[in-house]
């Protein structure tokens, strides 16, 4: 298959490139730094700076993961604009280009997040649930999904990845938490009662591949492990894996003062369940967060992109 990725140089994208290169697929990555793509994603992966570079080349699928990091800094007006532009408007550009193509790929797999549901409290959230609350992140995910769904009118199958917190060896949430936890300064955020839908990177890659291969898979999929945990439980598991105490707590008020509305991502959560993937027979390798953390923190070296 010839697969085009946006966000292919990111945490999930690089892992997908490794997996699909090994499977013999042909990969193109639309990137702001196309010259870096082969180094980041693998020597056989082609970087393109403009979509028209693929005009006239048959394409089987598009995986759309690009987006500026959402939890890195407070959501000022300029930051919100960038978060929106790098997801919603980028997806709209992608759709306009697809609409102009003579040959269209049959599938668009497009990013979203469990944040689509807003803060869900203790309610179990499956894909048939409406949003539980509205905030900037839920509006962003909603607009991102709506933009991607426009590909349905082009005759394409569209599957949406409502992704939880991706646990990986290098990058993502763990790389932000580990320095503090290793110093024994780790702990829960606020009350620690908020739910944390999480997923091991290997399962994220496997489920995206599963959705690529299943001709009937379309619509939203919660991309998170079958057993979400509360924040306090997650930090205890991380502390145990690192043999470090994790008793501290960052007060909710400090997070609200320091981060503004972004604090809602840390203090709220979703008890999201991957109902559609489970119904489809997808087999999660990691459903216990402690086993996932132990695997990621073990001495096994990170795979190289070669
Ligand atoms: N990782 C998670 O825990 C998680 C959870 C839920 C949802 N998601 C979503 O899933 C997607 C992939 O996640 P990830 O962790 O792999 O992301 P990532 O590592 O942050 O990479 C995202 C990619 O997006 C592109 N990008 C960044 N800023 C951009 C901008 N201003 N304009 C256009 N493109 C930009 C970059 O590609 P180039 O530099 O090559 O252009 C980057 O490699 C993201 O959109 C994210 O919101 C991730």
């Amino acid at each position: 298959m010839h697969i085009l990725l946006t966000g292919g140089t990111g945490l999930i994208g690089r892992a997908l490139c490794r997996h699909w290169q090994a499977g013999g697929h042909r990969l193109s990555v639309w990137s702001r730094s196309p010259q870096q793509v082969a180094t980041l994603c693998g020597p056989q992966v082609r970087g393109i700076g403009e979509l028209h570079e693929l005009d006239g080349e048959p394409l089987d699928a598009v995986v759309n993961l690009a987006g500026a990091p959402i939890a890195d800094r407070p959501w000022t007006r300029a930051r919100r604009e960038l978060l929106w532009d790098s997801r919603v408007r980028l997806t709209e550009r992608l759709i306009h280009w697809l609409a102009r193509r003579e040959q269209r790929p049959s599938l668009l797999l497009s990013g979203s997040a469990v944040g689509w549901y807003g803060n869900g409290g203790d309610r179990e959230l499956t894909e048939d649930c409406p949003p539980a609350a509205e905030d900037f992140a839920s509006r962003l995910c909603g607009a991102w999904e709506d933009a991607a769904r426009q590909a349905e009118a082009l005759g394409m199958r569209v599957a949406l990845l409502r992704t939880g917190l991706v646990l990986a060896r290098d990058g993502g949430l763990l790389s932000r938490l580990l320095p503090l936890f290793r110093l024994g300064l780790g702990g829960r955020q606020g009350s620690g009662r908020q739910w944390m839908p999480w997923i091991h990177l290997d399962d994220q890659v496997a489920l995206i591949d599963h959705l690529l291969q299943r001709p009937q898979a379309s619509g939203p999929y919660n991309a998170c492990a079958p057993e979400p945990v509360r924040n306090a439980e997650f930090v205890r598991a991380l502390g145990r894996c690192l043999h470090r105490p994790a008793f501290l707590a960052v007060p909710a008020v400090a997070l609200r003062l320091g981060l503004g509305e972004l604090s809602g991502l840390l203090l709220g959560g979703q008890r999201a369940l991957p109902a559609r993937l489970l119904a489809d027979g997808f087999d999660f390798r990691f459903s216990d967060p402690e086993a996932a953390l132990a695997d990621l923190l073990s001495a096994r070296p990170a795979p190289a992109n070669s």
Side-chain angles (χ1 to χ4, degrees):
M1 274 193 198
H2 182 192
I3 304 168
L4 166 66
L5 294 99
T6 80
T9 57
L11 179 73
I12 302 169
R14 289 193 311 273
L16 277 172
C17 285
R18 274 197 296 276
H19 183 76
W20 282 334
Q21 264 188 117
H25 295 296
R26 185 176 154 214
L27 304 174
S28 299
V29 168
W30 182 29
S31 169
R32 293 164 305 161
S33 313
Q35 68 290 352
Q36 302 241 28
V37 164
T39 313
L40 292 168
C41 304
Q44 275 109 50
V45 183
R46 172 178 169 196
I48 56 163
E50 300 290 342
L51 288 170
H52 67 71
E53 292 173 48
L54 291 182
D55 285 351
E57 292 187 37
L59 203 53
D60 299 292
V62 180
V63 178
N64 178 37
L65 298 174
I70 197 158
D72 274 22
R73 56 192 81 173
W75 295 338
T76 58
R77 184 192 284 247
R79 190 72 194 163
R80 284 171 203 249
E81 188 63 26
L82 183 71
L83 293 169
W84 202 275
D85 199 51
S86 60
R87 290 182 175 76
V88 182
R89 291 190 197 101
L90 183 144
T91 303
E92 286 167 355
R93 283 169 64 197
L94 184 65
I95 300 293
H96 288 150
W97 173 73
L98 288 166
R100 288 199 309 272
R101 275 178 67 92
E102 273 176 30
Q103 182 274 339
R104 295 207 186 110
S106 55
L107 167 68
L108 172 63
L109 265 166
S110 197
S112 180
V114 286
W116 183 88
Y117 297 101
N119 179 11
D122 281 344
R123 267 179 55 197
E124 292 192 337
L125 297 168
T126 53
E127 292 88 348
D128 52 4
C129 295
E134 199 189 289
D135 56 22
F136 173 71
S138 69
R139 286 194 297 276
L140 176 63
C141 289
W144 195 11
E145 290 192 8
D146 288 348
R149 277 187 188 273
Q150 290 175 42
E152 285 167 355
L154 305 177
M156 293 173 64
R157 171 164 76 89
V158 178
L160 303 159
L161 302 159
R162 292 189 184 154
T163 302
L165 293 157
V166 178
L167 302 182
R169 203 171 290 271
D170 299 298
L173 176 74
L174 272 188
S175 66
R176 290 196 294 273
L177 293 181
L178 283 176
L180 274 180
F181 273 75
R182 287 204 161 110
L183 291 171
L185 297 174
R188 62 178 202 272
Q189 288 152 347
S191 71
R193 289 188 53 75
Q194 65 276 34
W195 289 91
M196 277 182 71
W198 61 276
I199 183 156
H200 189 298
L201 180 61
D202 289 357
D203 276 334
Q204 177 76 1
V205 167
L207 73 85
I208 292 175
D209 188 54
H210 172 91
L211 295 174
L212 176 85
Q213 312 284 352
R214 300 287 269 209
Q216 72 279 25
S218 66
Y221 287 85
N222 288 347
C224 51
E227 288 171 31
V229 286
R230 294 186 192 274
N231 173 260
E233 202 179 322
F234 180 84
V235 300
R236 275 198 300 272
L238 184 53
R240 278 195 299 272
C241 287
L242 292 168
H243 309 292
R244 293 284 190 281
F247 303 128
L248 300 178
V250 188
V253 66
L255 287 170
R256 282 195 196 99
L257 279 173
L259 300 176
E261 195 184 344
L262 168 57
S263 64
L265 275 195
L266 309 175
L267 297 169
Q270 296 80 21
R271 193 176 185 178
L273 301 173
R276 295 196 66 210
L277 282 164
L278 291 174
D280 206 26
F282 179 77
D283 198 8
F284 283 86
R285 219 180 118 207
F286 295 95
S287 28
D288 169 23
E290 196 154 339
L293 290 167
D295 175 73
L296 294 165
L297 297 170
S298 67
R300 183 163 56 94
N305 272 316
S306 56

